[in-house]
Amino acid sequence: MARRAFKLASFATIAASTTGFYLYSNKHLDPNDFGVVRIGRAVATTAVITYDYLTSLRSVPRGTEEYDHVKSQVHLRSAERLRDLCCANRGTFIKVGQHLGALDYLLPEEYTRTLKVLHSQAPRSTMQEIEQVIREDLGKEIKELFISFEDAPLGAASLAQVHKAVLQDGRTVAVKVQHPKVQMQSSKDMLLMEILVLAVKQIFPDFEFMWLVEEAKKNLPLELDFLNEGRNAEKVAHMFKCFDFLKVPKIYWELSTRRVLLMELLEGGQVDDKAYMERNCINVNEISRNLGKLYSEMIFVKGFVHCDPHPGNVLVKKCPTTGKTHIILLDHGLYQNVEIRTNAASYLPQITMLLNNVPRQMLLLLKTNDLLRGIESALQTRASASSFLNMSRCCVRAVAMYQRSRTDSLYKKAQISISEALSLWQINLSSWQGIGSQDVWMVLPVLGSCESKGRKKIS
């Protein structure tokens, strides 16, 4: 088996080197960013990780404590090698590594714990590179467009970074600028990852991570198009205008392109920063409750869900004049249409079939659930059942909405509306009685009734 691994690694190296030579000869490509060195890192790391698993676990009896200990050590070493590869190759590699670090429900803890640090180790472009992108896309120098432009970014991510600036008319804005080489490297990075994942699968047939490559290939072009992000931001602002606590940055289209996005600057503290909440007299229970309302509405009613729901993209700020606390939603590059109202029942049996067999939308829902639970834990609001009750209300409304759309009978529509109102009244009654998380079983019959009615109607 080890010999087979070396043969595949050699084959991958030859193929990668050939690809690297072609890319090296491309006059538009910097060989230091993508070529023999860049490809060689990925091939070597994959080969070392594969060999480590094959040799370290070969002579240890399965099912023993020793096997579990050795496997944990191999997981940790491999995760550290993968982290180092992502940091070295940057761009797409960091993006995929961050996604892996968020899969707590699929990957060993050694991987998720190690890869989570990639959120704080995103690359930064130099001011010269930022000036180059703005010059190429907007046709003017920074000093022609802005009164001031802060060199130090407000934040940096795997694909872009954000700078604070002031326009000539005095408006303070956030300028999101894409790292200059990401667009050029992304498709080649994905090809390289696809080759390596296929090679690993030849050695470990149970290794099922091709879905991750497929998802990245589908989503990266959307995330790299900042005009798409601007459209999503406006759509979300309009779709959820009923929530007066929600703030989405306004887009300045006249100075936005596929690689540069100008937005209204909205600042605040991270949604999981309890100390910030205390300093600014912000009600943590209100924040937890409103966040639950927002994401429940996204998932169960609108079917349009924010795909990167980590605390860095969700800010909170108390308005000094009105005293009202706002939730600020950032980074609208990727949204997922989740037809949870009609497909939830068919998804549930599949949750036990991991990796390739888990529907992509369910992975998003689990990730969103992790965000909400993590924020509740950080704010110490887990004793409250508010998020469960908000989700319950949205479920009831979504089922009733779907049932009404499936009938032309006014009588049946009236029946559905009465049943919906009764179910919501029961949930509200539980809320008024101040139920805790230990009492959520009280409202389960309501959801069970709604689900069974919806399932009958769907069938």
Side-chain angles (χ1 to χ4, degrees):
M1 199 63 148
R3 193 179 302 115
R4 187 181 177 195
F6 275 123
K7 286 182 179 178
L8 284 167
S10 299
F11 174 76
T13 303
I14 293 171
S17 298
T18 303
T19 307
F21 178 77
Y22 167 76
L23 296 172
Y24 182 91
S25 63
N26 189 321
K27 64 181 180 180
H28 300 294
L29 195 64
D30 182 349
N32 293 318
D33 291 312
F34 205 107
V36 175
V37 174
R38 188 177 175 83
I39 295 175
R41 279 195 207 110
V43 172
T45 301
T46 304
V48 170
I49 290 174
T50 301
Y51 184 75
D52 196 359
Y53 274 103
L54 287 174
T55 56
S56 299
L57 298 172
R58 182 172 52 193
S59 58
V60 185
R62 284 178 176 268
T64 63
E65 289 186 8
E66 182 187 4
Y67 183 86
D68 291 338
H69 175 72
V70 172
K71 183 172 68 172
S72 176
Q73 294 302 305
V74 178
H75 283 337
L76 183 59
R77 289 196 298 270
S78 300
E80 289 172 346
R81 289 168 181 144
L82 190 57
R83 177 202 61 203
D84 294 342
L85 170 64
C86 292
C87 289
N89 278 6
R90 312 196 329 172
T92 307
F93 279 83
I94 285 187
K95 187 71 177 178
V96 173
Q98 289 173 342
H99 187 50
L100 287 171
L103 299 181
D104 301 90
Y105 36 85
L106 293 180
L107 291 182
E109 187 265 344
E110 293 86 352
Y111 276 91
T112 56
R113 184 182 72 242
T114 304
L115 294 176
K116 281 185 190 298
V117 302
L118 292 176
H119 279 289
S120 61
Q121 293 186 7
R124 292 192 175 190
S125 294
T126 64
M127 266 311 295
Q128 289 76 17
E129 291 173 320
I130 295 299
E131 288 169 354
Q132 176 190 344
V133 173
I134 290 177
R135 186 186 307 117
E136 290 175 354
D137 280 39
L138 298 179
K140 292 184 178 180
E141 299 293 335
I142 283 181
K143 61 183 179 181
E144 298 178 73
L145 295 168
F146 306 100
I147 295 175
S148 64
F149 190 99
E150 294 188 3
D151 290 359
L154 294 173
S158 55
L159 305 181
Q161 62 193 49
V162 179
H163 291 259
K164 182 177 181 180
V166 178
L167 291 170
Q168 295 291 348
D169 60 9
R171 288 175 294 175
T172 302
V173 295
V175 187
K176 184 173 182 178
V177 184
Q178 195 172 112
H179 298 311
K181 296 164 187 171
V182 168
Q183 192 85 239
M184 176 179 60
Q185 293 172 344
S186 60
S187 60
K188 303 172 184 69
D189 282 347
M190 296 317 306
L191 174 62
L192 175 58
M193 289 183 198
E194 189 170 11
I195 292 172
L196 294 177
V197 169
L198 286 172
V200 171
K201 186 168 174 57
Q202 291 296 313
I203 303 168
F204 301 107
D206 294 333
F207 182 80
E208 297 286 359
F209 270 88
M210 184 52 68
W211 63 268
L212 183 61
V213 177
E214 292 169 357
E215 284 294 292
K217 283 169 64 177
K218 180 181 72 175
N219 293 332
L220 263 176
L222 296 174
E223 294 187 81
L224 290 171
D225 181 1
F226 289 175
L227 296 178
N228 174 67
E229 178 175 346
R231 290 190 292 269
N232 283 341
E234 290 195 341
K235 182 175 180 178
V236 168
H238 177 74
M239 187 177 283
F240 300 102
K241 61 184 179 182
C242 57
F243 293 144
D244 59 356
F245 60 80
L246 178 64
K247 292 290 183 183
V248 176
K250 179 183 176 183
I251 305 300
Y252 299 119
W253 291 108
E254 68 275 14
L255 291 173
S256 293
T257 68
R258 290 174 61 89
R259 295 194 301 167
V260 179
L261 187 65
L262 253 72
M263 305 167 281
E264 173 188 9
L265 180 66
L266 296 177
E267 296 179 290
Q270 284 198 181
V271 72
D272 61 346
D273 188 345
K274 192 167 186 290
Y276 172 86
M277 309 273 194
E278 291 173 347
R279 287 197 306 271
N280 291 274
C281 301
I282 293 174
N283 187 325
V284 293
N285 289 303
E286 179 188 354
I287 293 297
S288 181
R289 183 167 60 250
N290 287 341
L291 200 60
K293 281 183 185 178
L294 175 61
Y295 276 96
S296 294
E297 190 83 10
M298 281 183 175
I299 294 168
F300 296 106
V301 179
K302 302 299 186 183
F304 192 66
V305 187
H306 189 270
C307 278
D308 197 11
H310 68 80
N313 287 335
V314 186
L315 307 180
V316 293
K317 186 173 184 179
K318 194 167 189 175
C319 178
T321 54
T322 65
K324 186 173 184 60
T325 302
H326 294 123
I327 292 177
I328 301 166
L329 194 59
L330 305 176
D331 196 347
H332 302 271
L334 192 61
Y335 276 76
Q336 183 74 270
N337 294 314
V338 183
E339 292 297 332
I340 193 69
R341 289 166 289 180
T342 57
N343 295 333
S346 63
Y347 286 162
L348 292 177
Q350 293 177 297
I351 296 177
T352 55
M353 303 173 67
L354 300 179
L355 301 171
N356 269 359
N357 295 322
V358 175
R360 306 297 174 256
Q361 292 90 342
M362 283 307 302
L363 294 178
L364 172 62
L365 298 187
L366 291 170
K367 184 179 179 183
T368 302
N369 183 68
D370 286 347
L371 164 75
L372 298 177
R373 300 295 81 78
I375 290 171
E376 286 182 342
S377 178
L379 300 181
Q380 298 177 5
T381 60
R382 292 299 298 273
S384 169
S386 61
S387 58
F388 177 83
L389 293 172
N390 286 327
M391 191 172 291
S392 301
R393 292 186 187 98
C394 286
C395 287
V396 168
R397 289 170 51 209
V399 170
M401 190 185 304
Y402 177 75
Q403 289 177 333
R404 281 193 292 266
S405 71
R406 300 283 288 178
T407 181
D408 295 325
S409 168
L410 293 176
Y411 175 73
K412 287 184 178 179
K413 285 184 178 182
Q415 276 188 320
I416 294 166
S417 296
I418 292 171
S419 176
E420 176 190 13
L422 180 61
S423 296
L424 290 173
W425 178 82
Q426 288 178 271
I427 294 172
N428 288 335
L429 179 62
S430 301
S431 176
W432 296 331
Q433 290 173 343
I435 75 167
S437 57
Q438 68 276 13
D439 300 316
V440 295
W441 59 269
M442 293 171 62
V443 295
L444 286 177
V446 177
L447 291 181
S449 172
C450 289
E451 186 206 0
S452 63
K453 290 174 185 174
R455 190 164 53 241
K456 288 176 184 175
K457 202 68 182 175
I458 291 168
S459 62

